[in-house]
Amino acid sequence: MAGKLMKRDAIIDLVKSEHRTNARRRREGLTRHPVVGIVCGCTLPDCGGWHAIVTERTIPTEAEADATLATKQAARKASKRARKATVVRKWRKPAEPDTAPDPTA
């Protein structure tokens, strides 16, 4: 998709920028911080972008990620069960009351 907006040289520069930023991040010991790509907003197709290290956030550890994933999956399963129960209730016919014979007849 980027080929529609940027020329080949701009894409190569963007990829090299990511490699340089990742190397700098490892050297500085910021391996738990994410790297984001920033694309230049100008209309020149030769202009690419750059990458930046986001020091305000951290990438979660494996244990934190597993715990977060488990809670989100449990919430999704619970809501899925609730949706299915609602659908089943709608499909069921209402119970017919027992009709006793009319004593006046």
Side-chain angles (χ1 to χ4, degrees):
M1 183 65 190
K4 303 282 184 186
L5 304 173
M6 291 187 257
K7 286 190 176 180
R8 184 176 189 274
D9 292 339
I11 295 171
I12 291 171
D13 288 342
L14 193 62
V15 170
K16 286 183 179 180
S17 168
E18 181 183 12
H19 291 208
R20 284 191 302 270
T21 305
N22 281 330
R24 194 185 76 182
R25 181 175 70 139
R26 283 191 298 272
R27 279 194 307 270
E28 294 175 4
L30 300 172
T31 55
R32 295 215 36 233
H33 296 281
V35 173
V36 295
I38 302 165
V39 178
C40 184
C42 68
T43 58
L44 298 174
D46 292 332
C47 188
W50 61 92
H51 286 80
I53 301 171
V54 181
T55 57
E56 293 84 29
R57 295 183 314 174
T58 59
I59 298 170
T61 62
E62 190 174 339
E64 291 171 340
D66 289 342
T68 303
L69 183 62
T71 57
K72 288 189 177 191
Q73 282 180 340
R76 275 200 315 267
K77 283 183 180 180
S79 66
K80 185 176 180 180
R81 280 194 300 267
R83 283 194 310 268
K84 282 186 175 182
T86 302
V87 169
V88 168
R89 269 187 258 121
K90 287 182 181 178
W91 284 350
R92 288 185 193 155
K93 290 182 181 179
E96 295 179 14
D98 291 334
T99 55
D102 190 14
T104 58

